[in-house]
Amino acid sequence: MTYVDGFVAAVPRENREAYIRHAEAAAAVFKEHGALKVVECWEDDVPEGKITSFPMAVKREPGEAVVFAWIAWPSREVRDRGMKAAMEDPRLSPDRAPMPFDGKRMIYGGFATVLEA
């Protein structure tokens, strides 16, 4: 089964187009390094929580939107090699491709797939 990297971040609404351009460029790099699919989603129905929620998790501030993204890889091994190569790829260097959001509030992790239906 596939291996998935998941990401949640808060992006200033005014940076939506810049975020999409950044995501498109990053997706091309990830796919060159073995990713099967890259999906980027902009909040549409993301409620505030009382105990936990996406907005709380990323400390969303006024004027920001929550984004939810994932990268599907054929396996953990391909992901480990591909992610390392992508992070070393000069096209993703912060000098060349600065993130249009606060990366310190981004949540991310790798997940082993247990069901695909």
Side-chain angles (χ1 to χ4, degrees):
M1 287 202 204
T2 56
Y3 191 82
V4 176
D5 280 314
F7 308 87
V8 181
V11 178
R13 291 181 188 281
E14 65 192 26
N15 289 355
R16 180 183 166 117
E17 293 308 314
Y19 179 83
I20 293 169
R21 285 190 307 275
H22 184 273
E24 288 171 338
V29 172
F30 287 122
K31 290 183 86 176
E32 282 181 30
H33 293 295
L36 300 172
K37 183 177 192 177
V38 177
V39 178
E40 296 280 349
C41 306
W42 192 266
E43 76 170 39
D44 181 56
D45 181 19
V46 182
E48 294 286 342
K50 291 188 193 264
I51 297 173
T52 189
S53 67
F54 282 113
M56 291 168 70
V58 296
K59 300 182 185 309
R60 182 179 69 185
E61 298 174 0
E64 293 182 327
V66 174
V67 297
F68 176 62
W70 68 92
I71 305 170
W73 304 88
S75 67
R76 168 78 189 263
E77 294 75 24
V78 172
R79 177 270 202 162
D80 288 349
R81 286 191 309 271
M83 186 61 80
K84 181 178 186 309
M87 292 299 103
E88 293 172 354
D89 192 302
R91 292 173 291 175
L92 294 185
S93 76
D95 295 336
R96 187 167 173 190
M99 293 190 299
F101 61 94
D102 180 0
K104 291 181 287 231
R105 291 186 285 138
M106 180 173 68
I107 299 167
Y108 59 91
F111 299 84
T113 302
V114 296
L115 173 71
E116 287 187 44

